[in-house]
């Protein structure tokens, strides 16, 4: 991700100007250009596809929107997840949904997955804090290149999926590498390894 060199903008200005673009999100009024690469999109697509298989298999009232923003009320911040799993039974309580694909409540969200890019600090720190405050049940940090800090993915650094599961008001984190089977509280019976995720982006776990 690359931060755009420009003046701070409001959340309403961001939604008006960039709400339809998949390339930008807003953090504290600063416009962030996400600059996704091809491999980045491949990893994101694989995660979404695997989740959709489970949704269909279990006939759950969940779906993955093509475009969606998470608006943090009272701030000039709007995150744009790579994959967000919504509970359509909860959308009746979303004040903005009928006009625009914007989510404001953690109760509408079953799972968020974020593919890590150059601005990994936001994914590992800022978003972990904000999603916990929003009460998002599960947050995945998919670091298929292993570029996050050692304090997050260990030493030596290697491709890692970090799954954050909300317990009370804090996330418990588990790291998955190599052939580790991913463990999700939302889909406890599904079959997917960390290595399968990394392979989608051309990364090979050591």
């Amino acid at each position: 991700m690359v931060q755009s060199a420009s003046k701070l903008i409001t959340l309403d200005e961001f939604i008006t100007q960039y709400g339809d673009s998949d390339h930008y999100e807003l953090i504290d009024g600063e416009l962030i250009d996400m600059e996704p690469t091809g491999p980045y999109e491949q990893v994101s697509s694989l995660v979404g596809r695997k989740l959709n298989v489970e949704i269909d298999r279990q006939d759950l009232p969940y779906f993955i929107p093509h475009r969606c923003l998470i608006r943090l009320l009272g701030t000039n911040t709007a995150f744009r997840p790579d994959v967000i799993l919504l509970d359509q039974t909860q959308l009746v309580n979303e004040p903005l949904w009928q006009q625009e694909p914007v989510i404001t409540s953690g109760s509408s969200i079953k799972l968020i997955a974020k593919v890590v890019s150059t601005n990994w600090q936001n994914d590992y720190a800022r978003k972990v804090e904000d999603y916990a405050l929003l009460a998002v049940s599960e947050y995945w940090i998919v670091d298929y290149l292993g570029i996050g800090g050692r304090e997050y993915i260990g030493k030596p650094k290697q491709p890692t999926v970090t799954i954050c599961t909300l317990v009370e008001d804090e996330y418990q984190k588990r790291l998955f590498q190599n052939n580790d089977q991913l463990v999700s509280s939302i889909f406890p019976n599904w079959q997917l390894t960390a290595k399968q995720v990394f392979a989608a982006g051309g990364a090979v776990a050591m």
Side-chain angles (χ1 to χ4, degrees):
M1 295 183 187
V2 177
Q3 180 178 312
S4 297
S6 62
K7 68 178 182 65
L8 299 182
I9 64 175
T10 68
L11 189 52
D12 289 339
E13 288 172 335
F14 170 76
I15 291 175
T16 298
Q17 298 177 43
Y18 301 99
D20 291 334
S21 172
D22 292 335
H23 286 265
Y24 298 96
E25 62 183 2
L26 189 72
I27 299 180
D28 295 330
E30 297 178 351
L31 185 64
I32 305 296
D33 186 342
M34 299 174 68
E35 291 191 343
T37 64
Y40 178 114
E41 292 292 345
Q42 288 172 253
V43 171
S44 175
S45 177
L46 173 77
V47 173
R49 187 170 75 250
K50 293 293 187 179
L51 289 173
N52 274 323
V53 168
E54 285 301 304
I55 293 169
D56 288 343
R57 188 177 69 83
Q58 300 183 47
D59 195 24
L60 296 169
Y62 307 156
F63 72 102
I64 299 172
H66 173 67
R67 184 178 295 114
C68 185
L69 286 172
I70 300 175
R71 178 173 182 169
L72 303 183
L73 297 177
T75 73
N76 276 327
T77 296
F79 295 133
R80 191 184 302 278
D82 295 306
V83 178
I84 180 169
L85 185 65
L86 298 179
D87 183 344
Q88 59 188 6
T89 68
Q90 297 296 315
L91 295 179
V92 65
N93 300 315
E94 287 289 346
L96 304 175
W97 185 256
Q98 294 301 318
Q99 288 75 42
E100 50 198 2
V102 176
I103 295 296
T104 61
S105 172
S107 63
S108 301
I109 304 169
K110 301 303 294 184
L111 183 151
I112 288 172
K114 181 67 184 71
V115 179
V116 173
S117 60
T118 55
N119 196 7
W120 52 263
Q121 293 90 341
N122 283 329
D123 301 330
Y124 279 103
R126 174 62 186 272
K127 291 177 182 178
V128 167
E129 180 178 341
D130 284 341
Y131 287 155
L133 288 173
L134 195 60
V136 174
S137 298
E138 195 165 292
Y139 171 44
W140 291 25
I141 307 169
V142 184
D143 192 348
Y144 74 102
L145 293 174
I147 59 177
R150 292 184 178 90
E151 67 270 33
Y152 299 114
I153 63 175
K155 182 179 180 181
K157 296 202 298 184
Q158 61 180 305
T160 303
V161 176
T162 302
I163 295 183
C164 308
T165 304
L166 196 66
V167 178
E168 295 183 354
D169 60 350
E170 294 184 351
Y171 279 131
Q172 290 186 351
K173 303 174 186 176
R174 290 187 62 182
L175 274 57
F176 300 88
Q177 300 169 335
N178 303 306
N179 288 309
D180 292 342
Q181 187 82 31
L182 301 186
V183 178
S184 168
S185 63
I186 309 300
F187 299 108
N189 297 319
W190 79 332
Q191 302 293 313
L192 183 65
T193 66
K195 190 172 184 178
Q196 285 177 288
V197 175
F198 308 144
V204 178
M206 302 301 292

